Amino acid sequence: MTRAGCLDRIDTLLSGVTGMTPPFVAISRGEPLGSPPALPWCSFWVSGLSVISDMNTLSDESTITSITIRSYHPVALAPEGGAITLDIWDAIAGIRVALLADANLSGNCSQIQINDATVDAAELNGVYHYQSTQTLDVWILGDTPVSP
């Protein structure tokens, strides 16, 4: 089990998200610093880490790392909002299906949990878009060695 392996596998799974039209133009590690270069876009990054104190031993700590997954969608696809709503819903569902199909990220973690999604309208550098955000919790038992 490796943290790098988890991130690589998440990247691969998000790149294979299907069921939405158009598909993601690209996947990036880290939130875009400016406006997303193209839409729809998907990014992910580490947003927190907590220790599972009930699982600690004298030789290691177990952790839950939170990964924020955000997809960005254009606001101008449909003035009435119907088509863009379906695109966002398809993206949320596609991300969940892709990740849940590999619940231990190819052996790189103990388990994952995908939390609820939120949808907002946002602006980055003058470009308005819709964004959906989901948090993926990655559990790694025995993640951090501890020396007495």
Side-chain angles (χ1 to χ4, degrees), residues 104-137:
N104 69 1
L105 302 177
S106 292
N108 285 295
C109 70
S110 303
Q111 70 182 48
I112 62 171
Q113 177 181 331
I114 304 171
N115 299 299
D116 296 341
T118 60
V119 178
D120 301 300
E123 177 263 332
L124 284 170
N125 290 338
V127 177
Y128 288 88
H129 62 278
Y130 290 108
Q131 60 188 32
S132 67
T133 305
Q134 300 178 70
T135 303
L136 172 69
D137 289 334

PDB file of all heavy atoms in Angstrom, residues 104-137:
ATOM      1  N   ASN A 104     -10.372  -0.660  -3.267  1.00  0.00           N
ATOM      2  CA  ASN A 104      -9.111  -0.603  -2.517  1.00  0.00           C
ATOM      3  C   ASN A 104      -7.992  -0.009  -3.384  1.00  0.00           C
ATOM      4  O   ASN A 104      -6.807  -0.160  -3.074  1.00  0.00           O
ATOM      5  CB  ASN A 104      -8.712  -1.969  -1.946  1.00  0.00           C
ATOM      6  CG  ASN A 104      -8.298  -2.970  -3.003  1.00  0.00           C
ATOM      7  OD1 ASN A 104      -8.277  -2.674  -4.198  1.00  0.00           O
ATOM      8  ND2 ASN A 104      -7.957  -4.170  -2.565  1.00  0.00           N
ATOM      9  N   LEU A 105      -8.397   0.684  -4.451  1.00  0.00           N
ATOM     10  CA  LEU A 105      -7.460   1.375  -5.346  1.00  0.00           C
ATOM     11  C   LEU A 105      -6.284   0.478  -5.732  1.00  0.00           C
ATOM     12  O   LEU A 105      -5.118   0.810  -5.544  1.00  0.00           O
ATOM     13  CB  LEU A 105      -6.977   2.692  -4.718  1.00  0.00           C
ATOM     14  CG  LEU A 105      -8.081   3.692  -4.360  1.00  0.00           C
ATOM     15  CD1 LEU A 105      -7.496   4.916  -3.675  1.00  0.00           C
ATOM     16  CD2 LEU A 105      -8.899   4.093  -5.586  1.00  0.00           C
ATOM     17  N   SER A 106      -6.628  -0.685  -6.267  1.00  0.00           N
ATOM     18  CA  SER A 106      -5.640  -1.678  -6.724  1.00  0.00           C
ATOM     19  C   SER A 106      -4.675  -2.094  -5.622  1.00  0.00           C
ATOM     20  O   SER A 106      -3.477  -2.253  -5.846  1.00  0.00           O
ATOM     21  CB  SER A 106      -4.866  -1.148  -7.937  1.00  0.00           C
ATOM     22  OG  SER A 106      -5.733  -1.059  -9.047  1.00  0.00           O
ATOM     23  N   GLY A 107      -5.217  -2.268  -4.414  1.00  0.00           N
ATOM     24  CA  GLY A 107      -4.400  -2.724  -3.297  1.00  0.00           C
ATOM     25  C   GLY A 107      -3.583  -1.638  -2.622  1.00  0.00           C
ATOM     26  O   GLY A 107      -2.767  -1.934  -1.749  1.00  0.00           O
ATOM     27  N   ASN A 108      -3.799  -0.383  -2.990  1.00  0.00           N
ATOM     28  CA  ASN A 108      -3.018   0.713  -2.410  1.00  0.00           C
ATOM     29  C   ASN A 108      -3.637   1.314  -1.159  1.00  0.00           C
ATOM     30  O   ASN A 108      -3.062   2.213  -0.557  1.00  0.00           O
ATOM     31  CB  ASN A 108      -2.790   1.808  -3.456  1.00  0.00           C
ATOM     32  CG  ASN A 108      -1.749   1.387  -4.452  1.00  0.00           C
ATOM     33  OD1 ASN A 108      -0.595   1.201  -4.104  1.00  0.00           O
ATOM     34  ND2 ASN A 108      -2.166   1.199  -5.689  1.00  0.00           N
ATOM     35  N   CYS A 109      -4.828   0.853  -0.765  1.00  0.00           N
ATOM     36  CA  CYS A 109      -5.438   1.314   0.478  1.00  0.00           C
ATOM     37  C   CYS A 109      -6.311   0.197   1.034  1.00  0.00           C
ATOM     38  O   CYS A 109      -6.570  -0.797   0.362  1.00  0.00           O
ATOM     39  CB  CYS A 109      -6.252   2.590   0.263  1.00  0.00           C
ATOM     40  SG  CYS A 109      -7.773   2.380  -0.680  1.00  0.00           S
ATOM     41  N   SER A 110      -6.763   0.389   2.265  1.00  0.00           N
ATOM     42  CA  SER A 110      -7.602  -0.625   2.903  1.00  0.00           C
ATOM     43  C   SER A 110      -9.034  -0.537   2.408  1.00  0.00           C
ATOM     44  O   SER A 110      -9.681  -1.550   2.174  1.00  0.00           O
ATOM     45  CB  SER A 110      -7.552  -0.452   4.420  1.00  0.00           C
ATOM     46  OG  SER A 110      -6.214  -0.525   4.862  1.00  0.00           O
ATOM     47  N   GLN A 111      -9.543   0.687   2.261  1.00  0.00           N
ATOM     48  CA  GLN A 111     -10.894   0.897   1.734  1.00  0.00           C
ATOM     49  C   GLN A 111     -11.069   2.362   1.395  1.00  0.00           C
ATOM     50  O   GLN A 111     -10.259   3.205   1.798  1.00  0.00           O
ATOM     51  CB  GLN A 111     -11.967   0.469   2.736  1.00  0.00           C
ATOM     52  CG  GLN A 111     -12.072   1.367   3.967  1.00  0.00           C
ATOM     53  CD  GLN A 111     -13.106   0.866   4.947  1.00  0.00           C
ATOM     54  OE1 GLN A 111     -13.138  -0.301   5.280  1.00  0.00           O
ATOM     55  NE2 GLN A 111     -13.949   1.771   5.416  1.00  0.00           N
ATOM     56  N   ILE A 112     -12.143   2.661   0.657  1.00  0.00           N
ATOM     57  CA  ILE A 112     -12.487   4.046   0.356  1.00  0.00           C
ATOM     58  C   ILE A 112     -13.939   4.290   0.733  1.00  0.00           C
ATOM     59  O   ILE A 112     -14.729   3.359   0.852  1.00  0.00           O
ATOM     60  CB  ILE A 112     -12.278   4.407  -1.133  1.00  0.00           C
ATOM     61  CG1 ILE A 112     -13.174   3.564  -2.037  1.00  0.00           C
ATOM     62  CG2 ILE A 112     -10.816   4.305  -1.515  1.00  0.00           C
ATOM     63  CD1 ILE A 112     -13.191   4.016  -3.495  1.00  0.00           C
ATOM     64  N   GLN A 113     -14.257   5.558   0.915  1.00  0.00           N
ATOM     65  CA  GLN A 113     -15.642   5.980   1.117  1.00  0.00           C
ATOM     66  C   GLN A 113     -15.831   7.286   0.364  1.00  0.00           C
ATOM     67  O   GLN A 113     -15.040   8.217   0.512  1.00  0.00           O
ATOM     68  CB  GLN A 113     -15.935   6.196   2.598  1.00  0.00           C
ATOM     69  CG  GLN A 113     -17.337   6.712   2.852  1.00  0.00           C
ATOM     70  CD  GLN A 113     -17.598   6.938   4.324  1.00  0.00           C
ATOM     71  OE1 GLN A 113     -17.029   6.281   5.180  1.00  0.00           O
ATOM     72  NE2 GLN A 113     -18.464   7.891   4.615  1.00  0.00           N
ATOM     73  N   ILE A 114     -16.869   7.335  -0.461  1.00  0.00           N
ATOM     74  CA  ILE A 114     -17.169   8.559  -1.202  1.00  0.00           C
ATOM     75  C   ILE A 114     -18.327   9.259  -0.492  1.00  0.00           C
ATOM     76  O   ILE A 114     -19.381   8.669  -0.287  1.00  0.00           O
ATOM     77  CB  ILE A 114     -17.544   8.262  -2.660  1.00  0.00           C
ATOM     78  CG1 ILE A 114     -16.425   7.471  -3.329  1.00  0.00           C
ATOM     79  CG2 ILE A 114     -17.809   9.556  -3.415  1.00  0.00           C
ATOM     80  CD1 ILE A 114     -16.769   6.950  -4.683  1.00  0.00           C
ATOM     81  N   ASN A 115     -18.096  10.503  -0.118  1.00  0.00           N
ATOM     82  CA  ASN A 115     -19.099  11.269   0.606  1.00  0.00           C
ATOM     83  C   ASN A 115     -20.032  11.997  -0.360  1.00  0.00           C
ATOM     84  O   ASN A 115     -19.853  11.949  -1.583  1.00  0.00           O
ATOM     85  CB  ASN A 115     -18.411  12.238   1.564  1.00  0.00           C
ATOM     86  CG  ASN A 115     -17.576  11.489   2.592  1.00  0.00           C
ATOM     87  OD1 ASN A 115     -18.100  10.702   3.362  1.00  0.00           O
ATOM     88  ND2 ASN A 115     -16.273  11.701   2.577  1.00  0.00           N
ATOM     89  N   ASP A 116     -21.030  12.665   0.178  1.00  0.00           N
ATOM     90  CA  ASP A 116     -22.030  13.363  -0.626  1.00  0.00           C
ATOM     91  C   ASP A 116     -21.391  14.413  -1.531  1.00  0.00           C
ATOM     92  O   ASP A 116     -20.317  14.940  -1.231  1.00  0.00           O
ATOM     93  CB  ASP A 116     -23.050  14.049   0.276  1.00  0.00           C
ATOM     94  CG  ASP A 116     -23.863  13.062   1.100  1.00  0.00           C
ATOM     95  OD1 ASP A 116     -23.906  11.873   0.730  1.00  0.00           O
ATOM     96  OD2 ASP A 116     -24.441  13.480   2.113  1.00  0.00           O
ATOM     97  N   ALA A 117     -22.062  14.713  -2.621  1.00  0.00           N
ATOM     98  CA  ALA A 117     -21.596  15.722  -3.572  1.00  0.00           C
ATOM     99  C   ALA A 117     -22.354  17.027  -3.360  1.00  0.00           C
ATOM    100  O   ALA A 117     -23.518  17.022  -2.954  1.00  0.00           O
ATOM    101  CB  ALA A 117     -21.799  15.233  -5.004  1.00  0.00           C
ATOM    102  N   THR A 118     -21.683  18.123  -3.643  1.00  0.00           N
ATOM    103  CA  THR A 118     -22.331  19.439  -3.655  1.00  0.00           C
ATOM    104  C   THR A 118     -22.121  20.053  -5.026  1.00  0.00           C
ATOM    105  O   THR A 118     -21.164  19.722  -5.732  1.00  0.00           O
ATOM    106  CB  THR A 118     -21.750  20.380  -2.583  1.00  0.00           C
ATOM    107  OG1 THR A 118     -20.347  20.557  -2.829  1.00  0.00           O
ATOM    108  CG2 THR A 118     -21.948  19.814  -1.182  1.00  0.00           C
ATOM    109  N   VAL A 119     -23.017  20.957  -5.411  1.00  0.00           N
ATOM    110  CA  VAL A 119     -22.913  21.660  -6.697  1.00  0.00           C
ATOM    111  C   VAL A 119     -23.075  23.152  -6.430  1.00  0.00           C
ATOM    112  O   VAL A 119     -23.980  23.564  -5.701  1.00  0.00           O
ATOM    113  CB  VAL A 119     -23.991  21.168  -7.696  1.00  0.00           C
ATOM    114  CG1 VAL A 119     -23.905  21.950  -9.003  1.00  0.00           C
ATOM    115  CG2 VAL A 119     -23.847  19.675  -7.944  1.00  0.00           C
ATOM    116  N   ASP A 120     -22.188  23.942  -7.025  1.00  0.00           N
ATOM    117  CA  ASP A 120     -22.206  25.394  -6.865  1.00  0.00           C
ATOM    118  C   ASP A 120     -21.905  26.055  -8.194  1.00  0.00           C
ATOM    119  O   ASP A 120     -21.273  25.458  -9.063  1.00  0.00           O
ATOM    120  CB  ASP A 120     -21.116  25.847  -5.878  1.00  0.00           C
ATOM    121  CG  ASP A 120     -21.255  25.246  -4.509  1.00  0.00           C
ATOM    122  OD1 ASP A 120     -22.299  25.467  -3.877  1.00  0.00           O
ATOM    123  OD2 ASP A 120     -20.312  24.557  -4.066  1.00  0.00           O
ATOM    124  N   ALA A 121     -22.313  27.301  -8.309  1.00  0.00           N
ATOM    125  CA  ALA A 121     -21.842  28.157  -9.398  1.00  0.00           C
ATOM    126  C   ALA A 121     -20.651  28.922  -8.834  1.00  0.00           C
ATOM    127  O   ALA A 121     -20.653  29.316  -7.666  1.00  0.00           O
ATOM    128  CB  ALA A 121     -22.926  29.107  -9.852  1.00  0.00           C
ATOM    129  N   ALA A 122     -19.606  29.090  -9.624  1.00  0.00           N
ATOM    130  CA  ALA A 122     -18.398  29.748  -9.139  1.00  0.00           C
ATOM    131  C   ALA A 122     -17.754  30.544 -10.261  1.00  0.00           C
ATOM    132  O   ALA A 122     -18.130  30.417 -11.430  1.00  0.00           O
ATOM    133  CB  ALA A 122     -17.426  28.716  -8.586  1.00  0.00           C
ATOM    134  N   GLU A 123     -16.770  31.344  -9.875  1.00  0.00           N
ATOM    135  CA  GLU A 123     -16.045  32.161 -10.838  1.00  0.00           C
ATOM    136  C   GLU A 123     -14.558  32.033 -10.549  1.00  0.00           C
ATOM    137  O   GLU A 123     -14.132  32.096  -9.399  1.00  0.00           O
ATOM    138  CB  GLU A 123     -16.497  33.622 -10.697  1.00  0.00           C
ATOM    139  CG  GLU A 123     -15.780  34.596 -11.585  1.00  0.00           C
ATOM    140  CD  GLU A 123     -14.642  35.315 -10.880  1.00  0.00           C
ATOM    141  OE1 GLU A 123     -14.693  35.493  -9.656  1.00  0.00           O
ATOM    142  OE2 GLU A 123     -13.689  35.666 -11.577  1.00  0.00           O
ATOM    143  N   LEU A 124     -13.776  31.777 -11.584  1.00  0.00           N
ATOM    144  CA  LEU A 124     -12.319  31.781 -11.491  1.00  0.00           C
ATOM    145  C   LEU A 124     -11.795  32.697 -12.579  1.00  0.00           C
ATOM    146  O   LEU A 124     -12.038  32.458 -13.767  1.00  0.00           O
ATOM    147  CB  LEU A 124     -11.737  30.380 -11.693  1.00  0.00           C
ATOM    148  CG  LEU A 124     -11.849  29.371 -10.548  1.00  0.00           C
ATOM    149  CD1 LEU A 124     -11.431  27.989 -11.023  1.00  0.00           C
ATOM    150  CD2 LEU A 124     -10.994  29.798  -9.380  1.00  0.00           C
ATOM    151  N   ASN A 125     -11.114  33.758 -12.193  1.00  0.00           N
ATOM    152  CA  ASN A 125     -10.531  34.716 -13.152  1.00  0.00           C
ATOM    153  C   ASN A 125     -11.539  35.209 -14.177  1.00  0.00           C
ATOM    154  O   ASN A 125     -11.252  35.274 -15.372  1.00  0.00           O
ATOM    155  CB  ASN A 125      -9.319  34.115 -13.857  1.00  0.00           C
ATOM    156  CG  ASN A 125      -8.148  33.950 -12.912  1.00  0.00           C
ATOM    157  OD1 ASN A 125      -8.083  34.617 -11.884  1.00  0.00           O
ATOM    158  ND2 ASN A 125      -7.240  33.063 -13.240  1.00  0.00           N
ATOM    159  N   GLY A 126     -12.739  35.516 -13.734  1.00  0.00           N
ATOM    160  CA  GLY A 126     -13.755  36.074 -14.614  1.00  0.00           C
ATOM    161  C   GLY A 126     -14.516  35.060 -15.440  1.00  0.00           C
ATOM    162  O   GLY A 126     -15.385  35.422 -16.218  1.00  0.00           O
ATOM    163  N   VAL A 127     -14.215  33.778 -15.306  1.00  0.00           N
ATOM    164  CA  VAL A 127     -14.911  32.740 -16.050  1.00  0.00           C
ATOM    165  C   VAL A 127     -15.870  32.043 -15.093  1.00  0.00           C
ATOM    166  O   VAL A 127     -15.446  31.461 -14.096  1.00  0.00           O
ATOM    167  CB  VAL A 127     -13.920  31.713 -16.658  1.00  0.00           C
ATOM    168  CG1 VAL A 127     -14.670  30.593 -17.357  1.00  0.00           C
ATOM    169  CG2 VAL A 127     -12.957  32.402 -17.602  1.00  0.00           C
ATOM    170  N   TYR A 128     -17.160  32.113 -15.396  1.00  0.00           N
ATOM    171  CA  TYR A 128     -18.160  31.468 -14.564  1.00  0.00           C
ATOM    172  C   TYR A 128     -18.367  30.027 -15.020  1.00  0.00           C
ATOM    173  O   TYR A 128     -18.311  29.732 -16.203  1.00  0.00           O
ATOM    174  CB  TYR A 128     -19.481  32.238 -14.612  1.00  0.00           C
ATOM    175  CG  TYR A 128     -19.382  33.539 -13.856  1.00  0.00           C
ATOM    176  CD1 TYR A 128     -18.937  34.699 -14.473  1.00  0.00           C
ATOM    177  CD2 TYR A 128     -19.688  33.593 -12.503  1.00  0.00           C
ATOM    178  CE1 TYR A 128     -18.815  35.883 -13.764  1.00  0.00           C
ATOM    179  CE2 TYR A 128     -19.577  34.773 -11.781  1.00  0.00           C
ATOM    180  CZ  TYR A 128     -19.140  35.911 -12.427  1.00  0.00           C
ATOM    181  OH  TYR A 128     -19.015  37.079 -11.716  1.00  0.00           O
ATOM    182  N   HIS A 129     -18.598  29.168 -14.053  1.00  0.00           N
ATOM    183  CA  HIS A 129     -18.799  27.746 -14.342  1.00  0.00           C
ATOM    184  C   HIS A 129     -19.577  27.128 -13.187  1.00  0.00           C
ATOM    185  O   HIS A 129     -19.727  27.729 -12.122  1.00  0.00           O
ATOM    186  CB  HIS A 129     -17.452  27.038 -14.512  1.00  0.00           C
ATOM    187  CG  HIS A 129     -16.610  27.088 -13.276  1.00  0.00           C
ATOM    188  ND1 HIS A 129     -15.838  28.177 -12.950  1.00  0.00           N
ATOM    189  CD2 HIS A 129     -16.454  26.207 -12.265  1.00  0.00           C
ATOM    190  CE1 HIS A 129     -15.240  27.965 -11.802  1.00  0.00           C
ATOM    191  NE2 HIS A 129     -15.591  26.771 -11.353  1.00  0.00           N
ATOM    192  N   TYR A 130     -20.082  25.929 -13.426  1.00  0.00           N
ATOM    193  CA  TYR A 130     -20.644  25.126 -12.343  1.00  0.00           C
ATOM    194  C   TYR A 130     -19.559  24.170 -11.891  1.00  0.00           C
ATOM    195  O   TYR A 130     -18.733  23.731 -12.686  1.00  0.00           O
ATOM    196  CB  TYR A 130     -21.855  24.314 -12.815  1.00  0.00           C
ATOM    197  CG  TYR A 130     -23.064  25.149 -13.112  1.00  0.00           C
ATOM    198  CD1 TYR A 130     -23.487  25.367 -14.419  1.00  0.00           C
ATOM    199  CD2 TYR A 130     -23.796  25.727 -12.079  1.00  0.00           C
ATOM    200  CE1 TYR A 130     -24.597  26.135 -14.691  1.00  0.00           C
ATOM    201  CE2 TYR A 130     -24.917  26.501 -12.339  1.00  0.00           C
ATOM    202  CZ  TYR A 130     -25.314  26.698 -13.648  1.00  0.00           C
ATOM    203  OH  TYR A 130     -26.415  27.459 -13.914  1.00  0.00           O
ATOM    204  N   GLN A 131     -19.580  23.843 -10.613  1.00  0.00           N
ATOM    205  CA  GLN A 131     -18.621  22.862 -10.125  1.00  0.00           C
ATOM    206  C   GLN A 131     -19.309  21.908  -9.166  1.00  0.00           C
ATOM    207  O   GLN A 131     -20.177  22.306  -8.395  1.00  0.00           O
ATOM    208  CB  GLN A 131     -17.419  23.527  -9.448  1.00  0.00           C
ATOM    209  CG  GLN A 131     -17.770  24.380  -8.249  1.00  0.00           C
ATOM    210  CD  GLN A 131     -16.578  25.164  -7.737  1.00  0.00           C
ATOM    211  OE1 GLN A 131     -15.706  25.556  -8.513  1.00  0.00           O
ATOM    212  NE2 GLN A 131     -16.518  25.370  -6.442  1.00  0.00           N
ATOM    213  N   SER A 132     -18.958  20.646  -9.287  1.00  0.00           N
ATOM    214  CA  SER A 132     -19.432  19.653  -8.326  1.00  0.00           C
ATOM    215  C   SER A 132     -18.227  19.193  -7.522  1.00  0.00           C
ATOM    216  O   SER A 132     -17.130  19.044  -8.061  1.00  0.00           O
ATOM    217  CB  SER A 132     -20.104  18.471  -9.024  1.00  0.00           C
ATOM    218  OG  SER A 132     -19.162  17.741  -9.769  1.00  0.00           O
ATOM    219  N   THR A 133     -18.444  19.008  -6.227  1.00  0.00           N
ATOM    220  CA  THR A 133     -17.359  18.639  -5.321  1.00  0.00           C
ATOM    221  C   THR A 133     -17.767  17.408  -4.527  1.00  0.00           C
ATOM    222  O   THR A 133     -18.871  17.365  -3.975  1.00  0.00           O
ATOM    223  CB  THR A 133     -17.040  19.803  -4.361  1.00  0.00           C
ATOM    224  OG1 THR A 133     -16.754  20.988  -5.120  1.00  0.00           O
ATOM    225  CG2 THR A 133     -15.855  19.465  -3.471  1.00  0.00           C
ATOM    226  N   GLN A 134     -16.888  16.435  -4.509  1.00  0.00           N
ATOM    227  CA  GLN A 134     -17.078  15.223  -3.707  1.00  0.00           C
ATOM    228  C   GLN A 134     -15.792  14.984  -2.924  1.00  0.00           C
ATOM    229  O   GLN A 134     -14.713  15.281  -3.420  1.00  0.00           O
ATOM    230  CB  GLN A 134     -17.331  14.003  -4.599  1.00  0.00           C
ATOM    231  CG  GLN A 134     -18.546  14.128  -5.482  1.00  0.00           C
ATOM    232  CD  GLN A 134     -18.714  12.925  -6.383  1.00  0.00           C
ATOM    233  OE1 GLN A 134     -19.029  11.855  -5.908  1.00  0.00           O
ATOM    234  NE2 GLN A 134     -18.492  13.100  -7.675  1.00  0.00           N
ATOM    235  N   THR A 135     -15.924  14.447  -1.732  1.00  0.00           N
ATOM    236  CA  THR A 135     -14.746  14.086  -0.947  1.00  0.00           C
ATOM    237  C   THR A 135     -14.636  12.569  -0.895  1.00  0.00           C
ATOM    238  O   THR A 135     -15.600  11.878  -0.587  1.00  0.00           O
ATOM    239  CB  THR A 135     -14.834  14.663   0.480  1.00  0.00           C
ATOM    240  OG1 THR A 135     -14.997  16.076   0.396  1.00  0.00           O
ATOM    241  CG2 THR A 135     -13.572  14.346   1.273  1.00  0.00           C
ATOM    242  N   LEU A 136     -13.456  12.095  -1.222  1.00  0.00           N
ATOM    243  CA  LEU A 136     -13.138  10.678  -1.162  1.00  0.00           C
ATOM    244  C   LEU A 136     -12.269  10.456   0.067  1.00  0.00           C
ATOM    245  O   LEU A 136     -11.218  11.093   0.206  1.00  0.00           O
ATOM    246  CB  LEU A 136     -12.380  10.259  -2.431  1.00  0.00           C
ATOM    247  CG  LEU A 136     -11.802   8.855  -2.455  1.00  0.00           C
ATOM    248  CD1 LEU A 136     -12.908   7.818  -2.517  1.00  0.00           C
ATOM    249  CD2 LEU A 136     -10.842   8.705  -3.626  1.00  0.00           C
ATOM    250  N   ASP A 137     -12.707   9.603   0.976  1.00  0.00           N
ATOM    251  CA  ASP A 137     -11.900   9.235   2.132  1.00  0.00           C
ATOM    252  C   ASP A 137     -11.171   7.941   1.827  1.00  0.00           C
ATOM    253  O   ASP A 137     -11.784   6.940   1.464  1.00  0.00           O
ATOM    254  CB  ASP A 137     -12.768   9.059   3.381  1.00  0.00           C
ATOM    255  CG  ASP A 137     -13.321  10.383   3.906  1.00  0.00           C
ATOM    256  OD1 ASP A 137     -12.685  11.425   3.647  1.00  0.00           O
ATOM    257  OD2 ASP A 137     -14.373  10.367   4.557  1.00  0.00           O
TER     258      ASP A 137
END
